[in-house]
């Protein structure tokens, strides 16, 4: 707690020029920082806010997946602010890509300030995962809700971030999860990493609202973990894509377009997939088909 509270004070100083009315709060424990900020927005508390938790008991990932953060294992925080995503040039659906890029760049900058050999850049798995050596280092969950007191078109947008700091307690998770400690650094604290990420994240979201994703396309391409890879795709049904059974489609990923849509060459031609439409995995790591019922 002391570590996160100390970081909060520095983050507040570092963000005053960009967002003088931001508030920053640290909770010892909560179910989910996203859930907490969504509730505050619906209650009319819509000033920009950063909320971090020392321990998170019911964090949520994409498609309802759970992210439980034990104290010290992960950094978990959320940023809430009013945005009119419909007015973003090119569309607001690429916000998760802009967020992921900002976090990856901030982590690389922070890690570069530490002693030790040069490290491979952190990569991005479309649409909302941070990757290290083709394993998940962190994730992003963006949710939006109407809220009282906002101007026409605005919604209360909550950006949840989780980053693994050290190996997970469950050995099975270690097979597909990475952590910052594996990069040869001395143990990093949640406050230290939060201080790296939060100010550039806020600035990146503010820029995205004005310019959209197109100016970020080239920088994203340099970190795109799926580009040129064979992938399997599962189409979402009612907002949920379950990664089991035969995939909806397969093909070779060909980067993202100026609106942040995933481009995949399939037998039917070039397909364009947007966030929320599909879940995607490298074909080599796709689960085996579900056997037929007897």
């Amino acid at each position: 707690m002391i570590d996160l509270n100390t970081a909060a004070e520095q983050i507040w100083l570092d963000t005053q020029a960009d967002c003088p009315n931001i508030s920053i709060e640290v909770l010892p424990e909560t179910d989910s920082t996203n859930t907490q900020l969504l509730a505050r927005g619906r209650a009319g508390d819509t000033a920009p806010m950063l909320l971090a938790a020392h321990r998170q008991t019911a964090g949520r990932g994409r498609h309802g997946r759970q992210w439980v953060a034990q104290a010290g294992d992960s950094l978990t925080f959320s940023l809430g602010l009013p945005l009119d995503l419909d007015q973003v040039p090119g569309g607001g659906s690429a916000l998760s890509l802009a967020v992921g890029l900002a976090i990856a760049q901030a982590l690389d900058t922070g890690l570069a300030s530490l002693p030790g050999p040069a490290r491979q850049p952190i990569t991005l798995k479309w649409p909302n995962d941070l990757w290290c050596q083709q394993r998940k280092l962190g994730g992003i969950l963006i949710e939006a809700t109407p809220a009282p007191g906002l101007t026409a078109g605005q919604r209360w947008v909550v950006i949840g971030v989780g980053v693994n700091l050290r190996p997970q307690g469950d050995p099975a998770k270690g097979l597909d999860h990475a952590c910052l400690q594996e990069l040869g650094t001395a143990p990093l604290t949640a406050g230290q990493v939060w201080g790296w990420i939060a100010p550039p994240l806020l600035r990146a979201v503010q820029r995205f609202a004005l310019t959209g994703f197109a100016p970020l396309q080239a920088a994203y391409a340099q970190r795109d973990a799926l580009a040129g890879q064979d992938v399997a795709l599962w189409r979402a049904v009612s907002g949920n894509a379950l990664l089991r059974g035969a995939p909806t489609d397969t093909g070779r990923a060909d980067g993202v377009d100026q609106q942040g849509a995933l481009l995949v060459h399939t037998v039917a031609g070039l397909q364009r997939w947007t966030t929320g439409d599909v879940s995607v995995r490298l074909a080599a790591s796709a689960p085996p088909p579900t056997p037929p019922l007897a």
Side-chain angles (χ1 to χ4, degrees), residues 69-157:
Q70 300 298 330
D73 284 353
S74 303
L75 165 66
T76 55
F77 75 95
S78 297
L79 167 65
L81 72 173
L83 291 174
D84 188 344
L85 294 177
D86 291 337
Q87 295 301 311
V88 173
S93 63
L95 177 57
S96 64
L97 279 67
V99 167
L101 178 61
I103 294 172
Q105 291 171 333
L107 286 173
D108 278 349
T109 299
L111 291 168
S113 70
L114 303 176
R119 302 169 180 91
Q120 290 294 315
I122 291 167
T123 58
L124 299 164
K125 175 186 172 289
W126 185 94
N128 58 351
D129 284 347
L130 302 158
W131 265 19
C132 176
Q133 299 174 346
Q134 294 193 344
R135 292 184 297 148
K136 185 171 180 175
L137 176 66
I140 298 154
L141 176 65
I142 298 178
E143 300 175 283
T145 183
L150 299 183
T151 61
Q154 283 189 327
R155 286 177 291 166
W156 177 242
V157 177

Side-chain angles (χ1 to χ4, degrees), residues 112-207:
S113 70
L114 303 176
R119 302 169 180 91
Q120 290 294 315
I122 291 167
T123 58
L124 299 164
K125 175 186 172 289
W126 185 94
N128 58 351
D129 284 347
L130 302 158
W131 265 19
C132 176
Q133 299 174 346
Q134 294 193 344
R135 292 184 297 148
K136 185 171 180 175
L137 176 66
I140 298 154
L141 176 65
I142 298 178
E143 300 175 283
T145 183
L150 299 183
T151 61
Q154 283 189 327
R155 286 177 291 166
W156 177 242
V157 177
V158 177
I159 301 165
V161 177
V163 178
N164 298 324
L165 302 179
R166 62 190 186 192
Q168 302 294 304
D170 181 358
K173 280 189 175 182
L175 299 176
D176 57 5
H177 284 65
C179 65
L180 290 177
Q181 188 172 310
E182 293 175 345
L183 300 180
T185 67
L188 297 170
T189 67
Q192 185 176 4
V193 178
W194 194 28
W196 290 349
I197 292 175
L201 171 60
L202 175 62
R203 291 190 286 269
V205 172
Q206 292 174 322
R207 285 195 304 270

Side-chain angles (χ1 to χ4, degrees), residues 125 131 134 225-226 229-232 280-286:
K125 175 186 172 289
W131 265 19
Q134 294 193 344
L226 297 182
Q229 301 292 320
D230 291 329
V231 296
V280 58
R281 281 187 177 179
L282 293 174
S285 62

Side-chain angles (χ1 to χ4, degrees), residues 13 24 36 52 55 57 59 67 86 93 155 162 221 232 257 275 282:
L13 293 173
I24 304 175
Q36 291 295 320
R55 182 174 184 269
T57 60
W67 184 308
D86 291 337
S93 63
R155 286 177 291 166
D257 66 15
T275 303
L282 293 174

